[in-house]
Amino acid sequence: MAALWNQPDVQVAVWALLKVGIILNGMLILVSYMIFAERKIAGHMQARTGPNRVGWFGFMQPWADVLKLFFKEEFIPAEANRVIFHIAPMLAVIPALVTFAVVPFGPGPALVGADVNVGLLVFLAMSSLGVYAITLGGWASNNKYALLGGLRSSAQMISYELAMGLSTIGVLMLAGSLSLVDIVHAQSKVAHVFGLPIPGWYVLYQPVAFVIFMITALAETNRAPFDLPEAEGELVAGFHTEYSSMKFGLFFLGEFMNVISISCIAVTLFLGGWNGPGPASLGLLWFALKLALLLFFFIWIRWTYPRLRYDQLMNLGWKVLLPLALANIVLTAIAIQWVSGAAG
C-alpha cells in the first residue's frame, strides 16, 4: 500500500479527487446559504423579516427546503420526451460545477482546481452550455408556456454571450494570457500615483468592460431584470413549469451556482482575484470578500429593478452592449500600442 501511495501519479489522482470533493460540497453549501441570504435581504428590502423560524434566526431553513424538495411528488407530463426531460436539469448544474475547476480561489496550487492555460475559454464554453438545459427542458415538457420560455432563453443567452466574450478581450490583451492564474498575477502590480498606492486591478483600466460583463452576467444567469425565460406573469413559470421535486431543485441549484461561478470569474478578471493588502495567506479571505460583494450586487439588482420588455432586452444586447464591447477592444488596442510606443 505504501509503495502504491509513493507513486506520483497516484498522489496526483488522490489530490485531484480531494479537490473535487471539497469544491462540490463547498459549492452546494454556499448555494444553499446564498438562497437563504437572498430571501433575508429581499425581506429587509420589502420591510419584512424573511425566513426566521427554522433554527437560530432561520439558519437551518436551507436544510428544510432541501428535505421538502426531496419528499415532494414528482410529476412528468404524459406526452413529455422522458429522456430529455430527465437530462435537462442535470445540464443546468454540471457545466456550472465544471467552471469551478479552473477558478483560482487563492495563491498556491492547493486553492486552484486546475491551472490550465485556456482557463477563460473553459469558462466561456461551460457558460454557453447552460442554454441547452433551459431550451431542452422547455421543449421536452410538451407545454406551450415552457416552450416559449425555452425559446426566449436561447435567444437571450446567445445574444448576450457575444457581448460577454468580447468584454473579456481587453483583459486578455492586458494580461497576455488565457490562464486565470496568470491574469490574477498580472493584477498583483501596484502603481504609485501622487504617492498613493493604486492596485493593478483591471476594473480600473477596463471599467466599460466590467460594466458590460456584469450586465451580461445578469442576462446569462436569467436574473431579474432579465428573467424573461421565467416571467411568471406571462408564462406561468416558463421553461420549468412542468418540473417538480428535485428536478425543479436542480434548475434552481443551477441558476444560483451559475451566479456564483460567474461572480468568481468577475473577481478573477477584474477585481484582482486573491490580491489584496496584507500577506499572501489572506488571499482566500480577500477573494471571499470580493465574491460576497458581487453576490450582494446580484441580489440587490434583482429586488430593485422591474423586468424589461423582450424588445428592450434584445435592443440592449445587440444595439448597445455589442458595439460598446467592440469599441472597448479598439480603444484598448490603441492605448496598449501608444503606451508601448512611448516606452520604446
Side-chain angles (χ1 to χ4, degrees):
M1 194 70 180
L4 180 64
W5 172 250
N6 289 330
Q7 295 181 12
D9 292 342
V10 174
Q11 294 180 5
V12 170
V14 171
W15 183 233
L17 289 174
L18 182 61
K19 286 184 182 180
V20 168
I22 292 173
I23 290 174
L24 177 60
N25 289 284
M27 288 305 112
L28 290 176
I29 294 172
L30 181 58
V31 166
S32 299
Y33 280 95
M34 185 192 166
I35 297 171
F36 172 74
E38 173 149 23
R39 295 176 67 184
K40 293 293 282 187
I41 293 171
H44 285 294
M45 288 183 172
Q46 298 170 348
R48 55 187 177 84
T49 58
N52 65 345
R53 298 294 182 184
V54 186
W56 182 69
F57 283 99
F59 272 91
M60 295 301 292
Q61 186 66 45
W63 303 99
D65 292 339
V66 171
L67 284 174
K68 179 186 72 173
L69 285 172
F70 265 118
F71 289 104
K72 289 190 77 169
E73 180 183 3
E74 183 176 355
F75 173 81
I76 302 176
E79 300 299 323
N81 185 315
R82 299 179 72 90
V83 175
I84 299 178
F85 190 84
H86 290 302
I87 292 175
M90 293 186 283
L91 289 177
V93 175
I94 293 173
L97 280 174
V98 173
T99 302
F100 290 112
V102 296
V103 173
F105 296 100
L111 295 173
V112 182
D115 180 15
V116 295
N117 58 359
V118 289
L120 183 56
L121 292 183
V122 172
F123 158 71
L124 293 174
M126 291 299 107
S127 65
S128 67
L129 291 178
V131 66
Y132 290 102
I134 297 176
T135 305
L136 291 176
W139 178 78
S141 299
N142 193 37
N143 178 299
K144 61 182 178 182
Y145 298 110
L147 179 60
L148 285 172
L151 292 176
R152 280 185 177 185
S153 177
S154 61
Q156 173 178 323
M157 296 178 76
I158 290 170
S159 300
Y160 280 80
E161 271 176 18
L162 189 54
M164 173 181 280
L166 291 174
S167 70
T168 65
I169 299 297
V171 170
L172 301 183
M173 294 167 71
L174 292 173
S177 174
L178 284 166
S179 167
L180 295 177
V181 174
D182 291 344
I183 291 173
V184 174
H185 283 307
Q187 298 176 76
S188 62
K189 302 172 184 177
V190 177
H192 288 81
V193 180
F194 301 113
L196 298 175
I198 304 297
W201 301 353
Y202 286 150
V203 66
L204 301 176
Y205 306 98
Q206 293 284 301
V208 174
F210 177 68
V211 171
I212 294 172
F213 187 90
M214 293 308 298
I215 294 175
T216 55
L218 289 168
E220 284 288 292
T221 53
N222 297 318
R223 299 276 297 184
F226 300 95
D227 57 338
L228 272 298
E230 299 179 24
E232 66 279 357
E234 310 155 33
L235 303 180
V236 187
F239 64 93
H240 57 67
T241 297
E242 299 291 355
Y243 282 90
S244 57
S245 188
M246 279 309 295
K247 286 188 174 61
F248 169 78
L250 285 175
F251 274 119
F252 202 57
L253 180 68
E255 176 187 325
F256 281 88
M257 199 165 283
N258 276 314
V259 170
I260 295 173
S261 69
I262 212 164
S263 297
C264 288
I265 297 298
V267 169
T268 302
L269 295 180
F270 296 100
L271 300 181
W274 67 74
N275 290 311
S281 57
L282 296 177
L284 181 59
L285 175 62
W286 283 117
F287 190 96
L289 289 175
K290 296 171 188 177
L291 177 60
L293 181 64
L294 289 187
L295 293 180
F296 175 77
F297 168 79
F298 273 88
I299 297 171
W300 180 26
I301 292 295
R302 175 174 182 174
W303 298 102
T304 302
Y305 293 101
R307 182 182 297 126
L308 298 176
R309 291 199 319 265
Y310 196 71
D311 61 312
Q312 292 173 329
L313 177 134
M314 286 291 127
N315 286 337
L316 177 64
W318 289 104
K319 296 181 179 179
V320 178
L321 298 182
L322 181 59
L324 269 180
L326 291 170
N328 182 70
I329 294 173
V330 174
L331 292 176
T332 301
I334 293 172
I336 291 174
Q337 187 64 28
W338 179 77
V339 170
S340 61

